[in-house]
């Protein structure tokens, strides 16, 4: 359904820090999203697309529901620095607890003529 991702690499020296965020997957679309406190995004699921999120700033409540298994529901609070993967058939709704910004990566490019966006 979903997975919090650990950084795969971290290196620090006198010049600063390099942190490896993601070293897997084939991401066809990358977006940056800014949302304001108390707004809601999502409310849908994908049949084919995996989504990866890297929270740049803010705090977001993610409500997750496996559409194939009515008993699989979770709510998680995402914070700055979190990396989060959502699997297909996971209905996801995000409520911004603060002004928030994140990078969103899609495994399949969004097709505006036939989007992989589904609602219950």
């Amino acid at each position: 359904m979903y997975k919090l991702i650990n950084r795969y690499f971290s290196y620090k020296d006198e010049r600063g820090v390099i942190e490896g965020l993601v070293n897997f997957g084939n991401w066809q679309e990358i977006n940056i999203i800014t949302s304001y406190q108390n707004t809601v995004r999502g409310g849908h699921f994908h049949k084919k697309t995996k989504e990866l999120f890297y929270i740049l700033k803010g705090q977001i409540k993610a409500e997750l529901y496996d559409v194939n298994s009515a008993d699989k529901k979770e709510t998680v609070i995402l914070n700055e620095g979190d990396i989060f993967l959502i699997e297909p058939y996971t209905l996801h709704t995000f409520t911004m607890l603060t002004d928030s910004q994140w990078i969103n990566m899609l495994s399949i490019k969004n097709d505006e003529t036939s989007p992989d966006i589904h609602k219950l």
Side-chain angles (χ1 to χ4, degrees), residues 22-79:
V22 177
N23 65 349
F24 67 90
N26 294 304
W27 308 104
Q28 293 186 8
E29 182 173 324
I30 299 174
N31 307 293
I32 189 163
I33 300 169
T34 301
S35 296
Y36 304 117
Q37 184 175 9
N38 298 320
T39 60
V40 177
R41 289 193 182 266
H44 62 259
F45 67 96
H46 309 283
K47 292 182 179 179
K48 300 175 186 171
T49 306
K50 290 184 180 186
E51 280 192 277
L52 186 77
F53 300 87
Y54 174 57
I55 309 303
L56 296 170
K57 69 176 186 176
Q59 188 174 57
I60 302 166
K61 178 174 75 170
E63 296 174 274
L64 308 161
Y65 173 72
D66 182 341
V67 300
N68 293 320
S69 178
D71 62 335
K72 288 189 179 178
K73 294 181 183 180
E74 285 197 54
T75 299
V76 64
I77 303 298
L78 302 170
N79 295 290

Side-chain angles (χ1 to χ4, degrees), residues 2-8 20-24 27 51-54 78 81-87:
Y2 80 95
K3 180 179 175 184
L4 284 172
I5 307 295
N6 292 318
R7 286 163 176 73
Y8 71 91
L21 301 180
V22 177
N23 65 349
F24 67 90
W27 308 104
E51 280 192 277
L52 186 77
F53 300 87
Y54 174 57
L78 302 170
D82 284 346
I83 305 166
F84 189 74
L85 177 68
I86 294 180
E87 296 289 343

